[in-house]
Amino acid sequence: MSSVAVLTQESFAEHRSGLVPQQIKVATLNSEEESDPPTYKDAFPPLPEKAACLESAQEPAGAWGNKIRPIKASVITQVFHVPLEERKYKDMNQFGEGEQAKICLEIMQRTGAHLELSLAKDQGLSIMVSGKLDAVMKARKDIVARLQTQASATVAIPKEHHRFVIGKNGEKLQDLELKTATKIQIPRPDDPSNQIKITGTKEGIEKARHEVLLISAEQDKRAVERLEVEKAFHPFIAGPYNRLVGEIMQETGTRINIPPPSVNRTEIVFTGEKEQLAQAVARIKKIYEEKKKKTTTIAVEVKKSQHKYVIGPKGNSLQEILERTGVSVEIPPSDSISETVILRGEPEKLGQALTEVYAKANSFTVSSVAAPSWLHRFIIGKKGQNLAKITQQMPKVHIEFTEGEDKITLEGPTEDVSVAQEQIESMVKDLINRMDYVEISIDHKFHRHLIGKSGANINRIKDQYKVSVRIPPDSEKSNLIRIEGDPQGVQQAKRELLELASRMENERTKDLIIEQRFHRTIIGQKGERIREIRDKFPEVIINFPDPAQKSDIVQLRGPKNEVEKCTKYMQKMVADLVENSYSISVPIFKQFHKNIIGKGGANIKKIREESNTKIDLPAENSNSETIVITGKRANCEAARSRILSIQKDLANIAEVEVSIPAKLHNSLIGTKGRLIRSIMEECGGVHIHFPVEGSGSDTVVIRGPSSDVEKAKKQLLHLAEEKQTRSFTVDIRAKPEYHKFLIGKGGGKIRKVRDSTGARVIFPAAEDKDQDLITIIGKEDAVREAQKELEALIQNLDNVVEDYMLVDPRHHRHFVIRRGQVLREIAEEYGGVMVSFPRSGTQSDRVTLKGAKDCVEAAKKRIQEITEDLEAQVTLECAIPQKFHRSVMGPKGSRIQQITRDFSVQIKFPDREENPVVQENGDEAGEGREAKDADPGSPRRCDIIIISGRKEKCEAAKEALEVRVHVPLHQAPASSGLLPVNIHVPAPELQSDIIAITGLAANLDRAKAGLLERVKELQAEQEDRALRSFKLSVTVDPKYHPKIIGRKGAVITQIRLEHDVNIQFPDKDDGSQPQDQITITGYERNTEAARDAILRIVGELEQMVSEDVPLDHRVHARIIGARGKAIRKIMDEFKVDIRFPQSGAPDPNCVTVTGLPENVEEAIDHILNLEEEYLADVVDSEALQLYMKPPAHEEAKAPSRGFVVRDAPWTASSSEKAPDMSSSEEFPSFGAQVAPKTLPWGPKR
C-alpha cells in the first residue's frame, strides 16, 4: 500500500529523537555556566565509508546508521466488506452500472475520497476507500448508509448525560457518527425519554453503543453539589477581583459558580470529580465559618447621588477597598430609595474602610448653574469653542446641557467642579447683560415665504442685524418665531419680519384650473417658460401641484391687480396649448413609412415645418401602422392630406367612401375594435376610417389596394345590413394553440364555415387579455350553426392521440436544423402537435406524432409533402451578372427572402469576385487570363446563382429573379429604385458634373426629376452641416471642469442632449492648448444656450466655499456609516460635499466641507457634535482594551550567539595537508573510470 508522508513538527521531533540520543548534546548557551560547544563531527555526523559488499558491511558509525522511525501518512486506505445478505442492491447483471455505481460516484464527488468496488465469490461487496482520514471516514459513513441494509438499536442512559454525548455545538456526536458509521438520534430536551436510538450496521451499532455507555460511565464519576452561603459573605469567598475562588478552582479542578451581586440567590454550585469537589466545598465552608465568626458590620449614610462613586467603574472601587482592607461594602440597589451603606469586616479594619468609602464618595460632586435654555448654544460657542476652554483646563469635569431646561449640570472632582461653575456663572451673567430675545407670532403658512428661496430672506435679516432667527418646521404647525441676539438688532429684525407678514396678509390668493398634462409645457425645459412668466410678474408667486397628486389646481399669490393680470396671461397661454394639442391618427402601410420620412428625415421635416405640427411615427420594429399628428386642427388636416398623397403616389392605393348610418358605427367597430380589425386583416390589411364620434357624419373611408378595398366594402355593407336586421353574438372557448388550425392555411377552414353558415367568426388579437375567447356574430340561426361546427372541431382537437409515420433518415436533418424551426412551424400551424424524431446516430425511420386526431393527420400530411419535395429536389443555375446581385437581394436580403418563402426554394449566391477588372465602359472584365480563354457567351462562376427545390418551383423562382433585375438577354444595366433605368455616376477622379441616365424614354423624365430633387436634398444637407459646425469657446477655470462634467459625465451629457451640441474639454496631457477653454460646436443659438447653462453652473460653484475641519480619525468610520449611508444623509440634509482624507494622507484628521457658507457652517457644527459623542465611546473602548490586554513585560535577554561548533573545517590550521589537485581519485575527470562506492542508502533499483 503506497502512501504520501507528511512531516509535521511532532513527527520531526520523533524522527530526530531516533538518531542516537547519546550523540545529540543540547547546548545551553547561558551565562558563565556555559558548557563546551559540540564538535563539528558530533553536530554533523559524516556519511558511512565505502564497504566491500552491502551484505557483509558493518553497521555504519554515526547517527545516520540508526533506524529511522516511520512518518505517518496523510493519505490512508481502508477496505470495507458488505456481506450478500446486507447488500441493498443485489442485481448481479448490473454490477458497475445502475444505482449502486451512481451512489459511489456521488460519494466520491461529495467527500473527495477514491472508491474501488469488487465482487467476492460469495457475492459480498468489497469497497476500497483511499484518501485523507476525514474524507475516508465520511465516505465510509455514506457507504454504510446507502449501500448496506440498516439495523437499529436503543441504549438508555440518564437524561442529564445526553448533553455530554452531543458535545459542544454537536461536535462530539458528529465525531461519534463518523467513527462508527451510524446515525445516532438523541431525544429533544422537552422529551422525557432517556432512550438513544442508533441506526446502522450491526458492527457499527455495537461500537456506537459501547462509546455512548463509556461517556455515561465517565459522567457518573462526576458530581454536582449546592452550598447555601449568606449573600453578604459571597465577596469574601470570591476574594478581590475573584482571585480567591479562582485559586481554589485551579487547585481542585472543580468548577465553582457564585451568583453575581445583581442576582438575589444564596446557593453556590460546585461541579467536578467527587473527591476534588469535596475538597473545594470544605475550603469554602471553612472560609465562610471563619468570616462569620470574625466579621462585624457598621452602617453609614451616604448620599444616593454619591453611591456610583463608591462603586466605581464596573465595581472597581469596591474591589479596591476589599483588597486593601479586607472589608466588604454593601450598596443598596439603584431602584431603592435607601442611602444606607453597610461595611462588613474585621473590627480593626472597619475604620480604614470607612475612611476610604467617604474619600471615594466625596471625590466627585454634582452641581448645577442656572442659565436660560436659549443661552445654551451661546455658552457652548461656535464649534464648541467656549466650552472647550473649560473642558481642556478640567478634563475630568462633565458638563451636561438638557434641552428645554434652564440649568446646566456639572459633574466631577469637587475642586474642578467649583472652578468650572464660577467660569460658567460669569459667562451666563455676561451673556444676559449683552443679549436679548423676543418671540413673535406669525401664521405658519407665511413661514416659508419669510424664509425665501434657499433661505435668501431670512439669511439677509440674520446677517444684517447680527441675530439668530428660529422658525419652527412645517410639521409642528407652530406660529411662534424666536429672535435672539443683540437687543437693538432683535428689535429691528422683529419690526422687519412683522412688516413682511403684514404685507403677505394683504395679498390675494387665486386658484387657476389648468389640466395637469399642460403643467410641464407651461414650466418649460428646466423651468425656462415659467421663469419668463415670473420675470413678467415678479410680485406674483406661482405654485404648481406635485405631479404625484394628479391635481389641476395652480395657485397664484400676490397683489390683487398683478394676480389678475397673471391669470389672464396664463389663461390665454392655456387656450393656445389646447388649440395646438388637437391630435389625429393616420393609418399608413408600413412599407411606405420610409418614403414619408425621406432620406435623413428630409420629407417628414419639411411636412412638420410647413404644417407647423408634431408628427410621431411608430418604431421600426413595432407592428403599428398609425402615424399620429398633433397641432392645430387645420394644420393637422393639411399634414394628413400630404402624407396620404405620398402613399397614393407610391402605390396603387384606392380610396372608397361608404355611407353607413352613424348609429351603427360603434357596433361595427366592436369591443376594442375587434370586429373591424378582423375585416381589415382578412382583406389584406386595408385601412377603414370611421368619422369622429358625435360629428353626425355617415361616411366611412376604406383605403388600400383596389381588389382588397372592394372586398372590404362588400363585407362592411353586408355586416351593416345584418346589424340593421338583427345581430346575435355567441362566445366559445378554445386553447390558443388550436386557433391557427381552426383558421386553416390562408384562412381556408374558417372561410368555409363562414360561407356555409353566413356567420362571422372573430379570433382574439395578440394584445387581447383573454386569448381563449372566440366570438361568432350574425343571425341567430347562422351563429348557432357555426357554433355547432366549431365546437365539433374543438372536441376533436381535445381528443389526444399518438401515431407514427416513416421518414427516410437522410431527410431528418431538414426537420431538426436551425433549432427545429420546421417542427416549430408545424406545431404552430397544426394545433400544437408534438413531433418526435429519433436520436441522431440511430438508423430508425420511425417518427412519432402526438396531439389532437385531426391535427396529427394534417401534420402527417404536411411532413409527407415536405419529404416528397426533398425527394423531388433539383438544382437550377440562374446566371445574373454579379453587379446586379445586390439589387436582387434587396435591403437586408428582404427581396430574396420573399422569393424563398413564395416558392419554397433555397437560393445560394456565389462569392464575390475579389478584383474585377473594370473596362472603360463600366462593364466588368472576366477573371484575368481565364476570362480571355473562356467562351465570351458563357457566364462566369461569380454570376451563377444556385436554386434548389422542386423543378417547377425552381423555374418559377428563376423567372422571378430575372424579372426583379429587368435584364433582357442578361445584358441590361442595373435598375435604380422603382424605375427600369440605369444611372451612370462618373468616377471621383474624373471631376465630372455630368450623370448619364439610360433607359426607356418614358422613364427618363421621371428619373431626371427624381435626381434633381435628390440634388436639392443634398444641397440642403450641406448647408445644414455648415450651420451645425458653428464653434463657440468658453473660458472656465479648470478646477470647475470635473463638476461641470459630473459623475460619469451625467451633467455634461444632459447639457449636450438638451441643446443638441458637442462640448469638448481641453486635453490635460496636451500642454500646447489652453487648459481653461471649453469648445462648444452646433447651431449658433444652441451653442449660446449651452454656454449659458455652463456659466450658470460655474456661478453656483463660485459661490461655494471649502473649509477644513480637524476631526479625530478614529471616529471617521462611525460618521461615514455602513457603505457611506450616514455621510450621504448628512450631505443631503445640509446640501454640502464632505471629503475625508485618504489612507496615508499627511494629516489623517483633516476633513474638507464644501458648499454655500451657511450650509458649510451648519454641517461642521453637526459633525463636531457627532465627533464629541463618538469620541467618548472610542476612549472608553480603548481604556477597556488596555485593562483586558495589559502590555507584556519582556525580560531583557542577552543577545544570542547563534549555533556554535568546534573543530569545523573552516577553522582548520594551515598546517593540515591540502588536497592533491593532480589526484584523479580526489578530483576525477569527466568520463574517467572510478572505483565504485557503496551507496549509504542501499543499491539502486
Side-chain angles (χ1 to χ4, degrees):
M1 178 175 69
S2 63
S3 61
V4 178
V6 175
L7 189 65
T8 64
Q9 198 169 357
E10 293 77 20
S11 60
F12 177 72
E14 285 179 17
H15 163 71
R16 192 173 177 195
S17 64
L19 305 178
V20 190
Q22 67 271 19
Q23 291 191 3
I24 297 176
K25 295 179 183 178
V26 179
T28 54
L29 306 176
N30 289 341
S31 52
E32 297 86 14
E33 296 173 292
E34 183 184 27
S35 61
D36 289 339
T39 63
Y40 180 79
K41 286 189 178 180
D42 288 339
F44 303 101
L47 293 174
E49 295 297 325
K50 52 189 175 181
C53 67
L54 288 168
E55 289 79 6
S56 60
Q58 296 296 318
E59 195 72 29
W64 298 104
N66 285 329
K67 187 178 180 183
I68 297 172
R69 294 185 185 182
I71 297 169
K72 290 180 182 177
S74 66
V75 175
I76 65 163
T77 301
Q78 288 190 10
V79 178
F80 308 115
H81 187 71
V82 182
L84 176 63
E85 60 273 12
E86 291 184 20
R87 281 179 60 192
K88 260 191 190 177
Y89 304 97
K90 299 177 184 176
D91 188 358
M92 309 305 169
N93 299 325
Q94 286 194 343
F95 183 72
E97 296 180 16
E99 197 64 29
Q100 187 171 269
K102 284 182 188 173
I103 289 168
C104 288
L105 194 62
E106 282 176 25
I107 293 170
M108 284 198 285
Q109 287 172 347
R110 200 173 69 79
T111 63
H114 178 69
L115 271 64
E116 288 183 20
L117 275 70
S118 60
L119 206 60
K121 287 182 180 179
D122 62 355
Q123 298 302 316
L125 192 66
S126 292
I127 304 161
M128 187 168 76
V129 187
S130 303
K132 291 191 177 178
L133 181 62
D134 59 339
V136 169
M137 298 309 287
K138 285 178 186 175
R140 178 189 172 198
K141 185 184 171 186
D142 280 1
I143 289 163
V144 168
R146 300 179 68 179
L147 296 181
Q148 199 166 354
T149 53
Q150 303 289 293
S152 65
T154 57
V155 58
I157 64 168
K159 187 81 177 172
E160 58 268 21
H161 294 174
H162 286 192
R163 64 193 182 93
F164 298 104
V165 177
I166 296 168
K168 191 178 180 181
N169 298 328
E171 288 173 4
K172 182 87 173 172
L173 183 64
Q174 287 173 14
D175 189 42
L176 196 56
E177 285 181 336
L178 274 177
K179 276 166 67 178
T180 60
T182 57
K183 174 71 179 169
I184 302 171
Q185 292 175 325
I186 295 173
R188 293 176 62 80
D190 51 3
D191 187 346
S193 171
N194 63 354
Q195 299 282 339
I196 294 176
K197 187 180 179 183
I198 307 169
T199 309
T201 61
K202 289 177 186 176
E203 184 190 349
I205 289 169
E206 284 304 317
K207 281 185 185 176
R209 189 172 179 277
H210 175 70
E211 291 287 342
V212 169
L213 289 171
L214 268 179
I215 292 166
S216 180
E218 203 176 298
Q219 293 308 314
D220 280 336
K221 294 177 188 175
R222 296 177 70 81
V224 176
E225 190 170 331
R226 290 176 170 79
L227 179 66
E228 290 288 336
V229 176
E230 288 178 55
K231 187 81 177 172
F233 292 96
H234 285 190
F236 298 113
I237 292 164
Y241 302 102
N242 290 326
R243 286 181 197 145
L244 183 56
V245 76
E247 286 172 14
I248 296 169
M249 285 165 66
Q250 194 171 359
E251 288 171 15
T252 62
T254 305
R255 188 177 170 192
I256 304 171
N257 184 17
I258 300 174
S262 56
V263 178
N264 193 20
R265 282 172 54 196
T266 57
E267 66 176 15
I268 298 174
V269 183
F270 300 80
T271 312
E273 298 288 338
K274 287 180 181 176
E275 291 176 10
Q276 295 170 334
L277 183 141
Q279 290 175 19
V281 170
R283 286 182 67 176
I284 297 289
K285 277 183 180 177
K286 186 181 175 185
I287 294 167
Y288 172 46
E289 295 298 336
E290 189 182 323
K291 291 293 177 185
K292 204 171 181 182
K293 285 177 187 175
K294 289 184 178 180
T295 58
T296 183
T297 62
I298 60 167
V300 294
E301 295 295 316
V302 177
K303 285 183 185 178
K304 191 77 180 174
S305 60
Q306 293 178 325
H307 285 191
K308 60 181 177 180
Y309 307 127
V310 176
I311 296 166
K314 296 184 181 178
N316 280 346
S317 296
L318 293 178
Q319 297 293 333
E320 196 180 317
I321 294 168
L322 181 62
E323 186 178 27
R324 286 184 187 172
T325 65
V327 174
S328 166
V329 182
E330 296 169 26
I331 306 287
S334 57
D335 53 356
S336 166
I337 58 169
S338 172
E339 293 188 339
T340 305
V341 175
I342 297 169
L343 282 74
R344 188 182 303 275
E346 295 173 13
E348 64 273 12
K349 294 183 180 176
L350 285 173
Q352 184 190 346
L354 185 60
T355 306
E356 291 213 15
V357 166
Y358 277 123
K360 298 279 183 193
N362 295 322
S363 62
F364 280 77
T365 187
V366 178
S367 180
S368 64
V369 177
S373 59
W374 66 274
L375 282 178
H376 287 185
R377 64 195 192 88
F378 298 106
I379 293 166
I380 294 166
K382 190 177 180 183
K383 299 180 187 177
Q385 286 174 351
N386 296 346
L387 209 60
K389 292 174 186 174
I390 298 170
T391 53
Q392 281 169 6
Q393 290 173 11
M394 289 152 282
K396 291 184 180 178
V397 176
H398 176 66
I399 304 170
E400 188 178 342
F401 294 83
T402 309
E403 194 175 348
E405 288 188 15
D406 293 338
K407 68 171 184 176
I408 301 166
T409 308
L410 292 87
E411 186 180 330
T414 310
E415 292 178 5
D416 289 356
V417 166
S418 60
V419 174
Q421 187 174 347
E422 285 177 15
Q423 290 186 15
I424 290 172
E425 281 174 350
S426 65
M427 203 184 291
V428 170
K429 192 176 178 182
D430 176 56
L431 286 169
I432 289 171
N433 289 336
R434 59 186 181 83
M435 301 287 282
D436 193 10
Y437 80 94
V438 71
E439 290 180 344
I440 56 175
S441 181
I442 296 174
D443 195 326
H444 68 270
K445 68 182 178 183
F446 299 131
H447 286 186
R448 62 197 184 97
H449 305 298
L450 290 176
I451 293 167
K453 191 176 181 183
S454 302
N457 290 349
I458 206 71
N459 288 335
R460 179 184 57 77
I461 291 168
K462 283 179 183 177
D463 295 342
Q464 189 174 342
Y465 302 118
K466 308 293 183 209
V467 293
S468 170
V469 183
R470 298 254 172 192
I471 298 176
D474 288 344
S475 56
E476 290 183 14
K477 305 289 183 189
S478 171
N479 296 341
L480 212 62
I481 295 175
R482 185 184 180 95
I483 310 168
E484 300 166 354
D486 178 67
Q488 188 180 350
V490 166
Q491 292 304 320
Q492 288 174 331
K494 175 186 171 183
R495 199 179 307 117
E496 183 164 343
L497 284 172
L498 288 172
E499 282 175 9
L500 281 169
S502 171
R503 202 182 308 154
M504 287 173 194
E505 284 173 356
N506 296 327
E507 289 178 344
R508 183 185 171 187
T509 301
K510 186 169 183 177
D511 290 342
L512 196 59
I513 308 295
I514 299 173
E515 285 183 64
Q516 196 186 29
R517 64 193 174 106
F518 296 129
H519 289 187
R520 186 174 285 181
T521 314
I522 292 168
I523 293 167
Q525 202 170 38
K526 286 206 168 180
E528 286 178 2
R529 293 186 72 174
I530 197 68
R531 205 178 294 121
E532 288 175 16
I533 298 169
R534 283 177 177 148
D535 291 345
K536 197 167 185 137
F537 304 99
E539 295 182 52
V540 179
I541 295 169
I542 304 166
N543 288 325
F544 284 86
D546 193 308
Q549 293 176 355
K550 305 288 182 188
S551 172
D552 295 339
I553 298 170
V554 177
Q555 195 179 71
L556 310 180
R557 190 171 56 77
K560 186 178 176 183
N561 294 338
E562 289 296 307
V563 167
E564 288 300 327
K565 286 178 187 175
C566 186
T567 303
K568 286 179 183 175
Y569 181 83
M570 288 186 75
Q571 282 173 339
K572 185 176 181 300
M573 182 187 282
V574 170
D576 290 343
L577 286 172
V578 170
E579 188 183 355
N580 288 323
S581 65
Y582 177 78
S583 183
I584 190 170
S585 296
V586 188
I588 298 292
F589 292 102
K590 193 81 176 177
Q591 63 263 37
F592 300 126
H593 283 199
K594 60 183 179 182
N595 303 94
I596 287 161
I597 295 167
K599 188 155 186 182
N603 290 356
I604 200 74
K605 195 187 290 181
K606 191 176 180 183
I607 296 169
R608 281 172 180 156
E609 288 172 359
E610 290 179 4
S611 63
N612 194 23
T613 56
K614 182 186 174 187
I615 303 171
D616 294 317
L617 286 94
E620 192 177 347
N621 54 359
S622 164
N623 292 325
S624 172
E625 295 186 335
T626 306
I627 295 173
V628 180
I629 308 169
T630 310
K632 290 185 178 178
R633 184 165 189 155
N635 294 348
C636 289
E637 292 293 345
R640 179 169 173 262
S641 302
R642 288 191 62 174
I643 289 169
L644 290 172
S645 66
I646 292 171
Q647 180 179 251
K648 202 168 183 180
D649 291 345
L650 288 168
N652 180 23
I653 302 296
E655 189 176 293
V656 172
E657 292 183 353
V658 183
S659 183
I660 295 172
K663 63 182 180 179
L664 295 176
H665 290 183
N666 281 344
S667 59
L668 288 173
I669 292 166
T671 311
K672 293 183 180 177
R674 284 179 67 193
L675 187 55
I676 201 67
R677 192 165 56 240
S678 71
I679 294 173
M680 289 195 289
E681 287 172 1
E682 196 176 321
C683 300
V686 297
H687 294 146
I688 301 174
H689 180 68
F690 284 82
V692 179
E693 192 175 356
S695 65
S697 172
D698 294 343
T699 306
V700 178
V701 180
I702 308 169
R703 190 181 297 109
S706 304
S707 57
D708 293 336
V709 166
E710 284 304 315
K711 191 176 174 184
K713 180 182 174 183
K714 283 178 188 176
Q715 285 201 27
L716 202 60
L717 291 171
H718 178 67
L719 195 60
E721 191 180 337
E722 279 183 7
K723 291 281 181 189
Q724 278 180 316
T725 52
R726 189 180 176 189
S727 182
F728 185 75
T729 305
V730 164
D731 290 337
I732 61 171
R733 291 187 173 275
K735 291 179 184 176
E737 56 263 31
Y738 294 164
H739 291 186
K740 277 195 175 182
F741 186 75
L742 292 172
I743 293 165
K745 197 168 184 180
K749 286 187 181 178
I750 208 67
R751 199 180 298 117
K752 191 178 176 185
V753 173
R754 192 173 63 244
D755 293 345
S756 63
T757 62
R760 171 169 291 280
V761 183
I762 301 167
F763 286 84
E767 61 270 15
D768 289 346
K769 286 184 181 176
D770 195 347
Q771 289 290 309
D772 292 354
L773 198 68
I774 299 171
T775 307
I776 310 171
I777 300 172
K779 292 180 181 178
E780 186 172 359
D781 54 345
V783 168
R784 294 290 181 201
E785 194 180 339
Q787 182 184 3
K788 195 174 177 182
E789 283 191 33
L790 283 173
E791 282 176 346
L793 281 169
I794 292 163
Q795 194 174 357
N796 286 341
L797 290 173
D798 285 332
N799 180 21
V800 176
V801 297
E802 190 170 321
D803 200 355
Y804 74 92
M805 64 183 294
L806 302 178
V807 177
D808 194 321
R810 62 198 172 94
H811 299 315
H812 289 189
R813 188 172 177 275
H814 174 78
F815 291 93
V816 296
I817 57 170
R818 296 193 300 278
R819 296 182 182 176
Q821 186 180 340
V822 176
L823 293 181
R824 281 203 304 274
E825 288 170 3
I826 291 169
E828 284 175 15
E829 194 171 341
Y830 299 105
V833 66
M834 288 174 62
V835 184
S836 300
F837 277 79
R839 285 185 184 178
S840 60
T842 59
Q843 290 302 309
S844 173
D845 58 356
R846 185 185 175 104
V847 177
T848 308
L849 297 92
K850 188 177 181 180
K853 190 175 180 181
D854 293 349
C855 294
V856 167
E857 289 302 323
K860 279 173 71 175
K861 192 176 176 183
R862 176 65 185 136
I863 290 170
Q864 195 62 45
E865 286 175 7
I866 293 169
T867 309
E868 287 172 8
D869 283 350
L870 292 170
E871 293 281 358
Q873 185 167 302
V874 297
T875 302
L876 283 185
E877 290 183 353
C878 176
I880 294 175
Q882 191 185 48
K883 59 186 175 182
F884 303 135
H885 286 187
R886 186 172 289 175
S887 62
V888 170
M889 288 180 187
K892 295 182 181 177
S894 58
R895 292 174 187 161
I896 209 68
Q897 286 168 13
Q898 185 65 42
I899 293 171
T900 56
R901 279 197 299 271
D902 291 347
F903 300 103
S904 301
V905 294
Q906 291 182 350
I907 301 172
K908 185 181 178 185
F909 280 78
D911 294 334
R912 287 183 64 80
E913 186 180 3
E914 286 301 320
N915 297 308
V917 180
V918 181
Q919 296 177 351
E920 286 183 11
N921 59 6
D923 295 334
E924 291 179 2
E927 298 176 4
R929 193 178 300 166
E930 198 178 294
K932 293 177 185 176
D933 300 338
D935 183 4
S938 64
R940 296 174 304 159
R941 278 182 301 171
C942 60
D943 296 340
I944 295 171
I945 299 168
I946 296 169
I947 309 167
S948 304
R950 277 182 172 270
K951 188 176 181 182
E952 59 275 13
K953 290 184 177 178
C954 287
E955 288 172 351
K958 183 179 178 182
E959 284 180 29
L961 281 175
E962 290 173 347
V963 167
R964 284 266 170 194
V965 290
H966 307 281
V967 189
L969 304 177
H970 300 281
Q971 291 174 354
S975 63
S976 173
L978 295 168
L979 302 173
V981 296
N982 189 26
I983 299 171
H984 298 274
V985 179
E989 58 271 14
L990 297 177
Q991 298 289 314
S992 173
D993 295 340
I994 297 167
I995 294 174
I997 309 171
T998 55
L1000 296 173
N1003 297 327
L1004 289 180
D1005 290 339
R1006 288 175 66 192
K1008 184 179 178 183
L1011 272 177
L1012 291 172
E1013 186 67 30
R1014 179 67 185 134
V1015 169
K1016 285 180 186 176
E1017 286 175 16
L1018 290 169
Q1019 286 172 343
E1021 284 176 20
Q1022 194 174 2
E1023 289 170 10
D1024 185 58
R1025 272 198 300 274
L1027 290 172
R1028 282 182 69 89
S1029 60
F1030 179 79
K1031 283 191 179 181
L1032 186 68
S1033 292
V1034 189
T1035 304
V1036 176
D1037 194 321
K1039 69 179 179 182
Y1040 298 133
H1041 289 191
K1043 292 285 184 185
I1044 296 168
I1045 293 166
R1047 192 177 179 190
K1048 295 184 180 178
V1051 177
I1052 202 67
T1053 303
Q1054 181 66 26
I1055 296 171
R1056 281 173 178 149
L1057 294 173
E1058 192 178 325
H1059 300 289
D1060 189 24
V1061 294
N1062 181 34
I1063 302 172
Q1064 192 70 36
F1065 284 83
D1067 187 355
K1068 289 180 183 177
D1069 300 329
D1070 189 358
S1072 60
Q1073 56 177 333
Q1075 292 296 302
D1076 59 352
Q1077 293 293 317
I1078 298 173
T1079 308
I1080 309 170
T1081 310
Y1083 291 117
E1084 187 173 357
R1085 62 178 183 278
N1086 291 3
T1087 55
E1088 288 170 356
R1091 176 196 62 193
D1092 295 343
I1094 290 170
L1095 291 175
R1096 272 198 299 275
I1097 294 170
V1098 172
E1100 289 172 9
L1101 292 170
E1102 284 175 343
Q1103 289 178 12
M1104 292 187 179
V1105 296
S1106 285
E1107 196 165 329
D1108 291 342
V1109 54
L1111 201 69
D1112 196 303
H1113 67 276
R1114 292 174 292 176
V1115 299
H1116 287 191
R1118 291 275 307 267
I1119 291 171
I1120 292 166
R1123 297 184 181 177
K1125 192 175 180 182
I1127 198 66
R1128 276 200 301 276
K1129 189 178 177 185
I1130 294 169
M1131 291 197 287
D1132 293 343
E1133 185 181 342
F1134 294 100
K1135 296 181 174 55
V1136 294
D1137 183 49
I1138 302 172
R1139 296 288 170 196
F1140 285 82
Q1142 293 182 346
S1143 59
D1147 186 359
N1149 299 332
C1150 182
V1151 176
T1152 306
V1153 185
T1154 308
L1156 294 172
E1158 61 274 13
N1159 294 350
V1160 169
E1161 191 174 320
E1162 288 177 12
I1164 290 173
D1165 287 345
H1166 180 74
I1167 293 169
L1168 288 170
N1169 289 339
L1170 287 176
E1171 179 196 27
E1172 187 179 347
E1173 181 185 331
Y1174 295 152
L1175 206 52
D1177 294 345
V1178 171
V1179 170
D1180 288 349
S1181 175
E1182 285 179 352
L1184 184 64
Q1185 290 293 327
L1186 194 64
Y1187 286 114
M1188 289 175 72
K1189 293 183 181 177
H1193 297 289
E1194 294 184 3
E1195 296 177 4
K1197 293 181 182 178
S1200 174
R1201 290 174 55 200
F1203 184 66
V1204 180
V1205 292
R1206 289 181 294 115
D1207 303 331
W1210 52 86
T1211 60
S1213 62
S1214 56
S1215 60
E1216 285 190 20
K1217 184 185 174 185
D1220 185 4
M1221 295 180 70
S1222 61
S1223 170
S1224 60
E1225 189 173 325
E1226 291 188 8
F1227 293 94
S1229 61
F1230 289 113
Q1233 294 294 323
V1234 181
K1237 286 189 178 184
T1238 307
L1239 297 171
W1241 308 104
K1244 286 186 179 177
R1245 291 181 183 176

